[in-house]
């Protein structure tokens, strides 16, 4: 059995960044990836980048199948770049195979050439997450069922697409498929639409999505899924308790993703997993086994590529720095839902501020008041921010409008660096841009 200084299981965002960093320090690294179609991880191959490419091409008016072709070219290029980024390093080996723990520090890898065993001085688990398929009678067996990966590999556009789940994937794919021309129905058991958001925001978002042709059925309970030759029928109880049904030629399951720990052999180790299947870690991301860490989606919590990347920074701080950058250092994580237009947020919502008895003033600006929105011919949306009335520090912002996925990062920087709203208000911005909205939003 070979002893290795660093073993990384899974080619995810945090893991690959760590592998490169270690290689630059001449440290030996073994990166184990179970699929040669996944070099570079979930984000570049089957998640963020392909979905955003398809979303952009839908807005460009491209045909769905042509867009899929272009998306495949992009992911193949990125996959190859990612592979070489690591494999071309002299101290890194990328091993094709599925890894499994046989004890706390020993890994067995099922490769095309048989089982190989390695002992890792340090082991980093970066195996991501997998879609949750609800235990609804007939769902798993339905030949019309897709997860987000399969939805982006279709050879024809769904005519009638039913999406279960109105979360990130549900809403982004609903808007995208509606723009390509599918009839989209979204079912969610929650009766509140995007429940984290303030009502003045969620109402406009829902209205805009409905104007794209998307139908929502909220507060429902799905009873069963039945297949016929050419479609599936989902039978459900609506919010009034009435029995209803909807037919679709595809069903997209978008009801969350759970940490990918099932086949990792963790039962052979002392590594603890919580009730959501996530690996338990301390503030340095170390598991309860010394020198074994978990990175990204597999450790539970927020599932974003930039969180996995930041996990790398935490591990770097512990192994090569002063250990002061930890999970506790991380605050105010921004996010964007790439619907049409995008919804982006950081910090507190008004609902949350009220709930915690935090004093705030509300600043609101309709996107239609921003010259660049008129120029871009898309005046939908509203920008909203909460500011501390005494210190003028920004407490949070919800930006619903074009380019909000760029703007939110400025607000996030201001919050983290304690730059008051008055500075953003008085800043000179280029014109015409969406950023100059801050001159008016923070008046
Ligand atoms: C459709 C979709 C869209 C998304 N859009 C966004 C977005 O716009 N922005 C954003 O920030 N986030 C987005 N996300 C979330 C984001 O993709 C994930 O949070 C992120 O990719 C997680 O990365 P990771 O580092 O945890 O590992 P991953 O990138 O998931 O890597 C895990 C790797 O481990 C491999 N693996 C698993 N088990 C084993 C094993 N036993 N042995 C060897 N290899 C193994 C897998 O094949 C995989 O390559 C999206 C997710 C989805 C599904
Ligand atoms: N733009 C982005 O950053 C982006 C985009 C896509 C995905 N992601 C990541 O991927 C993760 C997974 O996305 P997701 O959309 O699958 O999960 P999600 O947690 O965002 O949404 C799941 C939805 O399913 C609904 N649901 C749960 N059980 C249900 C039931 N029995 N019947 C009907 N509806 C039910 C929930 O109410 C919720 O609305 C997200 O948490 C996110 O972190 C991020």
């Amino acid at each position: 059995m070979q002893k290795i200084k660093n073993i990384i299981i899974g080619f995810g965002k945090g893991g690959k960044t760590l592998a490169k960093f270690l290689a630059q320090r001449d440290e030996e690294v073994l990166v184990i990836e179970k699929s040669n179609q996944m070099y570079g991880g979930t984000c570049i191959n089957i998640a963020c980048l392909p979905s955003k490419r398809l979303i952009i091409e839908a807005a460009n008016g491209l045909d769905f199948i042509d867009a899929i072709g272009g998306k495949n070219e992009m992911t193949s290029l990125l996959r190859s770049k990612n592979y070489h980024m690591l494999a071309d390093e002299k101290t890194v080996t990328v091993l094709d195979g599925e890894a499994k723990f046989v004890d706390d520090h020993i890994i067995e890898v099922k490769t095309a050439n048989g089982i190989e065993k390695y002992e890792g001085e340090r082991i980093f688990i970066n195996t991501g997450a997998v879609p949750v398929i609800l235990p609804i009678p007939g769902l798993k067996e339905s030949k019309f069922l897709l997860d987000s990966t399969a939805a982006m590999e279709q050879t024809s556009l769904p005519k009638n697409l039913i999406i279960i789940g109105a979360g990130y994937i549900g809403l982004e794919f609903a808007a995208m498929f509606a723009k390509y021309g599918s009839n989209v129905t979204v079912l969610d058991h929650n009766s509140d639409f995007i429940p984290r958001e303030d009502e003045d925001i969620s109402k406009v978002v829902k209205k805009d999505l409905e104007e794209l042709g998307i139908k929502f059925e909220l507060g429902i309970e799905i009873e069963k899924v039945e297949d016929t030759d050419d479609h599936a029928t989902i039978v459900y109880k609506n919010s009034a308790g009435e029995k209803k049904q909807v037919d679709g030629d595809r069903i997209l399951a978008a009801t969350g993703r759970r940490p990918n720990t099932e086949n990792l052999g963790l039962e052979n180790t002392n590594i603890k997993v919580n009730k959501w299947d996530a690996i338990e870690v301390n503030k340095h991301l170390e598991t309860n086994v010394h020198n074994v860490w978990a990175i990204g989606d597999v450790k539970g919590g927020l599932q974003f590529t930039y969180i996995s990347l930041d996990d790398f920074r935490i591990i770097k701080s512990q192994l090569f720095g002063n250990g002061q950058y930890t999970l506790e250092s991380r605050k105010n994580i921004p996010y964007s839902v790439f619907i049409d237009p995008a919804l982006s947020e950081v910090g507190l919502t008004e609902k949350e501020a009220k709930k915690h008895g935090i004093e705030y003033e509300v600043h609101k600006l309709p996107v239609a008041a921003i010259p660049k929105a008129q120029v871009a011919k898309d005046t939908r949306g509203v920008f909203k921010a909460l500011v501390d009335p005494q210190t003028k520090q920004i407490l949070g912002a919800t930006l619903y409008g074009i380019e909000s996925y760029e703007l939110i990062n400025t607000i996030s920087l201001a919050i983290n660096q304690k730059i008051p709203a008055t500075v953003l208000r008085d800043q000179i911005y280029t014109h015409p841009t969406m950023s100059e909205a801050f001159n008016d939003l923070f008046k």
Side-chain angles (χ1 to χ4, degrees):
M1 182 171 52
Q2 214 179 320
K3 276 196 180 177
I4 306 274
K5 174 94 176 167
N6 300 286
I7 295 181
I8 300 178
I9 307 175
F11 206 138
K13 179 70 181 175
K16 70 188 176 192
T17 314
L18 178 65
K20 186 80 180 172
F21 179 83
L22 294 168
Q24 283 160 350
R25 271 145 199 81
D26 280 332
E27 288 207 16
E28 178 192 30
V29 189
L30 177 68
V31 178
I32 306 165
E33 170 53 56
K34 72 173 176 188
S35 163
N36 63 8
Q37 294 304 299
M38 288 294 284
Y39 300 138
T42 300
C43 179
I44 68 153
N45 290 294
I46 55 166
C48 332
L49 301 194
S51 65
K52 266 82 249 182
R53 163 63 85 96
L54 292 179
I55 287 167
I56 287 170
E57 295 292 38
N60 290 341
L62 210 74
D63 168 75
F64 178 62
I65 298 306
D66 292 345
I68 297 252
K71 179 272 292 181
N72 289 343
E73 271 174 36
M74 177 191 76
T75 49
S76 138
L77 176 96
L78 293 172
R79 195 158 50 241
S80 162
K81 274 184 80 168
N82 271 262
Y83 176 77
H84 287 289
M85 171 185 82
L86 294 187
D88 295 353
E89 288 285 345
K90 67 177 185 311
T91 61
V92 178
T93 304
V94 177
L95 177 64
D96 291 332
E98 184 161 3
K100 194 176 168 181
F101 281 86
V102 289
D103 78 18
D104 280 353
H105 282 275
I106 296 177
I107 309 287
E108 215 173 61
V109 188
K110 205 196 283 173
T111 72
N113 306 320
I115 303 280
E116 298 178 14
K117 257 190 180 180
Y118 297 92
E119 182 174 351
E121 191 180 316
R122 302 185 191 126
I123 299 178
F124 305 92
I125 307 169
N126 188 201
T127 51
V130 288
V132 170
I133 305 297
L134 296 169
I136 295 167
L139 179 63
K140 206 169 61 199
E141 298 76 23
S142 172
K143 62 178 188 241
F144 302 101
L145 177 68
L146 310 175
D147 60 14
S148 55
T149 305
M152 292 191 280
E153 283 164 5
Q154 294 300 293
T155 50
S156 66
L157 180 69
K159 266 202 185 81
N160 295 301
L161 173 66
I162 310 170
I163 300 181
I164 310 177
Y168 281 84
I169 295 177
L171 294 183
E172 288 185 0
F173 279 60
M176 173 180 95
F177 276 105
K179 289 204 127 189
Y180 280 118
S182 302
N183 297 312
V184 180
T185 305
V186 179
L187 308 175
D188 200 294
H189 68 162
N190 211 320
S191 45
D192 291 331
F193 178 69
I194 45 173
R196 202 193 151 229
E197 311 303 328
D198 294 332
E199 220 177 286
D200 51 347
I201 301 290
S202 58
K203 265 193 186 154
V204 241
V205 173
K206 185 155 176 272
K207 180 182 77 52
D208 287 345
L209 289 170
E210 282 167 342
E211 273 172 18
L212 282 181
I214 300 164
K215 292 190 205 78
F216 289 98
E217 272 284 18
L218 306 178
I220 56 103
E221 207 180 301
I222 300 176
E223 272 179 18
K224 59 179 174 186
V225 177
E226 281 172 346
D227 275 8
T228 65
D229 278 351
D230 61 355
H231 71 268
T233 300
I234 298 192
V235 180
Y236 62 95
K237 243 194 233 142
N238 73 7
S239 53
E242 299 154 343
K243 206 167 177 162
K244 295 267 175 184
Q245 63 181 56
V246 57
D247 293 345
D249 57 340
R250 313 292 152 84
I251 302 170
L252 169 62
T255 47
R257 290 171 61 85
R258 65 181 163 74
N260 186 7
T261 49
E262 201 174 282
N263 300 314
L264 260 182
L266 295 178
E267 64 284 0
N268 305 323
T269 71
N270 291 298
I271 298 167
K272 278 199 188 141
V273 169
N274 69 19
K275 62 177 175 186
W276 299 285
D277 297 337
I279 295 180
E280 288 186 9
V281 290
N282 66 16
K283 64 180 183 179
H284 303 287
L285 300 179
E286 204 167 4
T287 66
N288 56 308
V289 170
H290 180 57
N291 269 357
V292 179
W293 290 261
I295 303 176
D297 288 1
V298 75
K299 68 174 199 312
L302 294 175
Q303 297 179 343
F304 297 116
T305 297
Y306 44 96
I307 292 294
S308 182
L309 174 63
D310 202 52
D311 287 352
F312 152 71
R313 298 189 188 104
I314 290 176
I315 291 173
K316 180 175 82 164
S317 174
Q318 188 192 0
L319 293 180
F320 298 93
N322 58 14
Q324 280 181 7
Y325 190 68
T326 69
L327 271 184
E328 290 163 4
S329 323
R330 212 185 253 167
K331 294 188 181 84
N332 298 309
I333 311 296
Y335 61 79
S336 289
V337 192
F338 293 83
I339 46 176
D340 179 39
L343 171 69
S344 304
E345 192 160 299
V346 64
L348 291 181
T349 59
E350 189 173 0
K351 243 198 271 202
E352 287 163 347
K354 268 200 189 119
K355 189 170 147 202
H356 295 109
I358 295 168
E359 254 194 89
Y360 62 89
E361 54 192 38
V362 177
H363 294 250
K364 257 175 120 171
L365 182 74
V367 166
I370 307 164
K372 170 68 193 288
Q374 299 287 350
V375 172
K377 295 196 293 185
D378 193 346
T379 55
R380 293 169 301 163
V382 59
F383 287 0
K384 177 175 179 180
L386 304 192
V387 172
D388 183 313
Q390 266 80 46
T391 64
K392 301 296 173 195
Q393 291 296 325
I394 304 168
L395 302 169
T398 305
L399 308 180
Y400 174 55
I402 55 164
E403 298 180 33
S404 71
Y405 41 78
E406 300 290 352
L407 300 175
I408 203 68
N409 293 311
T410 302
I411 306 239
S412 183
L413 181 75
I415 296 179
N416 289 337
Q417 298 308 314
K418 303 210 176 322
I419 299 167
T422 44
V423 172
L424 292 196
R425 181 196 62 194
D426 298 335
Q427 171 80 11
I428 297 174
Y429 300 100
T430 52
H431 172 77
T433 56
M434 291 302 284
S435 305
E436 62 184 337
F438 296 150
N439 288 151
D440 293 327
L441 178 65
F442 292 113
K443 255 185 198 152

